[in-house]
Amino acid sequence: MLASQRGLFEIPRDICYLNSASYSPLPLRTQEAARAAAGRKAAPWTLDPAFANREHERARSAAARLINAEAGDVALISSVSYGVATVGKILSIPAGMRILVLENDHSSPILEWQSRAASAGITIETVRQPIDGDWTSAVLAAIERAAAPRLALASISSIHWSDGGMIDVEKVGAALKRQGALFLIDATHAVGVVAMDVTKLDPDFVIFPTYKWLLGPYGRAFIYIARRHQNGIPLEQTGFGRREIRSDAEIYFGDLSYVAGARRFDMGERDHFISMEMAAIGMEMMAEWGAPAVAERLAMLTVRIAEGLSGTQARIMDSRFRAPHILSLGFAGGLPAGLVQGLAGEGFHVAARLSRMRISPHVFNDEEDADRFVEALKRRI
């Protein structure tokens, strides 16, 4: 089993940080790179002309590696919501069709479609949060619902951000293809921990940021766009998205046709000299460990916590339906007031999400963290 990587981070022993589903700490190596990158931005005359493109392609390749994609099928973006807006511009969904979303899913894969539903004449169908936690069965039932309007798209998270419920994207993807529908995956809580291979899954779009599980900065994200959609118009019109717009040439607008592949969908002002390298480092570290090894380690920790809380009033989703790295606790009457804040005061950091407690360890956590947290939580409940 992958050992705890705590030594690669700057985390005091008395801090038990179990909230990587909100923000992950930055590895020491990433912090050092950030300081060096800030120095380069302070002295831009030290940058060679090819520097920016090297950083773009390093990050693009690192993101592609995590989902077994070609680098040319991945675009550099700022956030999941930016990616979904990009998809909204690419797709033209006919009136009368429906789009599937999850109840209480994060806002990013939902709001774009809700904002255009009335004017476009499309229906947003919400898959209700299942009592037993079996999101996969609930989504499959919605896809195959008899007498429903024709399905255009499922825009869903592969792991629910609040309860940690995991969707079998292979089963869902196959069901969508049978209906001739498209698949947009918000993989925020999956990529890097849960293995994904787009060459086998063949989704239409996969979007993920770096600031949670990929040990990177805020404001860096990536979108995989299947080649069948790469001829669309980007959300932003940029010079680098065209074949020849050159400030050093005699003719500035030399060739306005779009570049090939997903690079045309790169965000504007992509020259993030500081955070692009930070994003690449975190993704490269995750790829070196490998999703199966990371998932195995984090599952060990969440199972250890769940078993430690056996017999308490905490309600825990069946292990068959939950992600390996997120443990969500429910309580009769809702999350006790002040519980999360009280734990934080003792150095135990978790999150309150929709009247539940979300626990999300990462590779820097160890068995001592899990056991100390269980003891502290038992004292308080």
Side-chain angles (χ1 to χ4, degrees):
M1 180 180 291
L2 178 70
S4 171
Q5 303 298 309
R6 195 181 192 96
L8 302 181
F9 296 79
E10 190 175 10
I11 304 175
R13 183 66 264 185
D14 61 331
I15 294 297
C16 180
Y17 189 78
L18 297 167
N19 195 19
S20 288
S22 292
Y23 302 95
S24 64
L26 292 174
L28 290 166
R29 180 181 163 200
T30 306
Q31 295 180 48
E32 293 167 2
R35 285 187 282 269
R40 285 194 295 269
K41 183 61 174 69
W45 54 88
T46 65
L47 297 172
D48 71 83
F51 174 79
N53 191 62
R54 287 199 303 271
E55 292 300 303
H56 302 153
E57 297 312 309
R58 177 183 176 183
R60 196 189 313 274
S61 295
R65 180 182 176 188
L66 291 171
I67 57 174
N68 197 29
E70 295 292 331
D73 296 330
V74 174
L76 312 176
I77 58 175
S78 58
S79 64
V80 173
S81 57
Y82 184 106
V84 179
T86 297
V87 175
K89 191 162 185 180
I90 292 172
L91 299 182
S92 178
I93 298 176
M97 300 189 77
R98 64 185 172 125
I99 294 176
L100 283 185
V101 299
L102 305 181
E103 183 178 26
N104 292 326
D105 199 355
H106 198 276
S107 60
S108 297
I110 295 178
L111 293 181
E112 174 70 23
W113 314 115
Q114 287 184 338
S115 68
R116 65 172 60 198
S119 61
I122 56 179
T123 300
I124 307 300
E125 180 176 335
T126 301
V127 180
R128 297 303 173 193
Q129 199 155 10
I131 296 175
D132 64 359
D134 186 358
W135 276 109
T136 299
S137 293
V139 172
L140 291 174
I143 291 171
E144 298 165 358
R145 184 166 63 86
R150 185 180 170 192
L151 183 59
L153 169 73
S155 180
I156 61 177
S157 297
S158 54
I159 295 174
H160 201 281
W161 71 294
S162 67
D163 67 12
M166 187 161 68
I167 291 175
D168 188 327
V169 292
E170 292 186 2
K171 289 182 179 178
V172 168
L176 289 168
K177 279 182 169 44
R178 289 195 295 270
Q179 299 289 334
L182 305 179
F183 197 6
L184 184 160
I185 304 174
D186 176 351
T188 296
H189 293 285
V191 170
V193 180
V194 177
M196 178 179 289
D197 185 339
V198 296
T199 64
K200 296 178 180 178
L201 181 61
D202 190 30
D204 296 278
F205 310 96
V206 179
I207 312 171
F208 54 95
T210 68
Y211 70 98
K212 296 177 185 277
W213 299 101
L214 299 179
L215 306 174
Y218 207 75
R220 300 280 67 78
F222 303 86
I223 178 171
Y224 163 82
I225 301 175
R227 292 179 184 177
R228 54 187 172 271
H229 301 297
Q230 290 178 6
N231 289 326
I233 297 176
L235 185 62
E236 295 180 278
Q237 301 305 309
T238 63
F240 50 76
R242 306 303 179 102
R243 290 189 182 275
E244 190 174 357
I245 295 181
R246 292 175 49 191
S247 60
D248 62 341
E250 182 177 357
I251 300 176
Y252 182 38
F253 293 106
D255 184 349
L256 295 184
S257 58
Y258 288 109
V259 297
R263 289 178 175 85
R264 71 169 67 179
F265 300 98
D266 281 2
M267 62 188 173
E269 295 194 15
R270 62 182 183 176
D271 292 349
H272 294 272
F273 295 123
I274 300 173
S275 59
M276 197 65 77
E277 182 180 9
M278 295 168 66
I281 290 171
M283 291 187 291
E284 289 162 358
M285 292 174 74
M286 293 297 291
E288 287 301 313
W289 290 319
V294 172
E296 180 187 27
R297 171 150 196 89
L298 303 191
M300 178 274 292
L301 293 172
T302 55
V303 168
R304 191 181 185 101
I305 293 171
E307 290 177 347
L309 295 173
S310 177
T312 69
Q313 61 176 283
R315 298 174 177 176
I316 302 174
M317 184 188 296
D318 191 307
S319 60
R320 294 176 298 163
F321 305 133
R322 68 177 190 246
H325 53 309
I326 299 177
L327 188 66
S328 179
L329 307 183
F331 300 87
L335 186 63
L339 179 56
V340 170
Q341 296 85 345
L343 286 166
E346 296 184 52
F348 299 95
H349 298 272
V350 293
R353 291 293 181 268
L354 302 182
S355 295
R356 299 178 67 87
M357 177 185 290
R358 188 183 65 189
I359 303 161
S360 49
H362 211 319
V363 294
F364 47 78
N365 291 115
D366 56 21
E367 292 85 341
E368 182 179 336
D369 283 334
D371 296 344
R372 288 179 57 234
F373 173 73
V374 168
E375 292 174 6
L377 183 57
K378 279 183 172 180
R379 286 197 307 270
R380 287 185 169 269
I381 62 175

